[in-house]
Amino acid sequence: MTLIKIIEIFKKKLNTSILKPLEKAADFYSESKNDSNINGPGGFKKNSPYGSPARNFAKSPDSGNASRNVEIPFIKLTDVWKIYQMGEVEFAALKGINLEIYEGELLVILGPSGSGKSTLMNLLGCLDMPSKGTVCLNSKDISELSESELAVVRGQMIGFIFQSFNLLPTLNTEENVLLPMEFQEEDRKTARQKVSYLLEIVGLSDKKKNLPSQLSGGQRQRVAIARSLGVNPPIILADEPTGNLDSKTGDYILDFLDGLQKREGKTIIIVTHDLELVKYATRIVYIRDGEIEKIETHPKNEQSMKNEQSMKNERGTKNEINLN
Ligand SMILES: Nc1ncnc2c1ncn2[C@@H]1O[C@H](COP(=O)(O)OP(=O)(O)OP(=O)(O)O)[C@@H](O)[C@H]1O
């Protein structure tokens, strides 16, 4: 059970009070693997437009038993433009983005304010459509999906840790985390158990009944993280995940995301201004004025090394440099 391995990492860094809940969570997910009502790690519900487990969704038909697909991009953007119309004036927030993201990467997107990071994130999260170009999720053009199929993809494939993705103000902590599971028609008893474990993981067991207005900014961020992990999505999109947090909690959350990428093979995409986050990245995409300025590969990251060959085929490699 891979969460147990995550705990091994935490053991070196955290005090024992936080370990017990994590171990319980690991047991829970371990048990969940045999429970048909629950998505196991990378699990995928029957009503998916793709109708297959997320891991299989992530694999090409001929990828055999390889745990990760390093040949076919999980997400591929081809000549993506986003043009906003403001009266008579058009504004291009993204200008011909080409980017391939592979399963199991931890991609950090860095750029100054107004460079197009959130716009890009909205496209990656299937929350918006490009004005021109294509966004493919496992080789499927998202613009060809119906609204209901997109909702399923967003609900099951993608966990959002967005500051603008506000918690519902009238729901308490527990109910906010429960909500996406209810949309997925998760068995209520199982869902409540999951909520309980997730809130322990993020250290909010004592805040279950608090409304968002009765939580600090950092605590609200942790509720959002618990909520995003509830349906165990293969992709996690995080917009400034440490933005509201003190440095200790921020480090804890980043280590947690890092563990999910390394041990669970989740694909994690983080948008940030914070250069500190670069150390967790398999690759860093620098964006400026709606264009990719350069992409750096982190050679010390194991997955990045595995992906290296595949990435060589990526468009825009002329800008790619290695950090040594
Ligand atoms: N709905 C919109 N209509 C018009 N222009 C928009 C719209 N949304 C974003 N923009 C413009 O697109 C550009 C990119 O915005 P975006 O929010 O993606 O930047 P960002 O890199 O996320 O910035 P920040 O780090 O400040 O959040 C900005 O110049 C912004 O003003």
Side-chain angles (χ1 to χ4, degrees), residues 14-62:
L14 298 169
N15 64 36
T16 47
S17 65
I18 207 153
L19 287 173
K20 204 170 165 222
L22 277 169
E23 279 164 355
K24 281 168 78 181
D27 288 346
F28 175 76
Y29 275 108
S30 182
E31 285 160 17
S32 303
K33 272 167 76 175
N34 301 321
D35 186 336
S36 60
N37 288 324
I38 306 169
N39 288 343
F44 208 63
K45 303 284 269 192
K46 281 193 201 119
N47 61 341
S48 145
Y50 306 97
S52 63
R55 284 288 166 80
N56 293 338
F57 172 90
K59 286 179 187 169
S60 64
D62 58 354

Side-chain angles (χ1 to χ4, degrees), residues 68-76 99-107 265-269 282-283 303 307-315:
R68 290 173 193 172
N69 192 335
V70 294
E71 286 166 13
I72 297 177
F74 203 177
I75 304 170
K76 181 172 180 175
L99 183 63
E100 293 180 357
I101 303 170
Y102 290 83
E103 192 188 9
E105 281 205 79
L106 197 158
L107 200 78
K266 304 245 186 242
T267 306
I268 300 184
I269 304 165
T282 56
R283 288 192 299 157
Q303 183 58 37
N307 286 343
E308 200 169 286
Q309 192 56 45
S310 305
M311 288 173 194
K312 281 185 182 150
N313 300 328
E314 183 170 321
R315 285 165 193 259

Side-chain angles (χ1 to χ4, degrees), residues 84-86 91-94 111-120 239-240 271 273 287:
Y84 293 113
Q85 190 80 39
M86 290 174 300
F91 178 80
L94 295 177
S113 179
S115 56
K117 303 184 297 298
S118 302
T119 306
L120 180 57
D239 194 350
E240 298 284 3
V271 155
H273 293 101
I287 182 166

Side-chain angles (χ1 to χ4, degrees), residues 252-299:
Y252 167 72
I253 294 302
L254 288 172
D255 283 345
F256 188 74
L257 291 176
D258 192 45
L260 287 175
Q261 181 257 328
K262 288 205 171 76
R263 310 292 168 178
E264 299 266 322
K266 304 245 186 242
T267 306
I268 300 184
I269 304 165
I270 299 176
V271 155
T272 187
H273 293 101
D274 186 356
L275 282 168
E276 268 291 296
L277 271 63
V278 160
K279 67 181 178 218
Y280 294 93
T282 56
R283 288 192 299 157
I284 307 126
V285 177
Y286 292 87
I287 182 166
R288 185 177 292 276
D289 295 331
E291 292 180 283
I292 292 180
E293 195 175 49
K294 63 180 176 184
I295 300 175
E296 288 175 348
T297 302
H298 206 304

Side-chain angles (χ1 to χ4, degrees), residues 150-161:
L150 280 173
V152 172
V153 168
R154 285 193 293 260
Q156 296 180 5
M157 294 290 295
I158 305 168
F160 295 93
I161 306 176

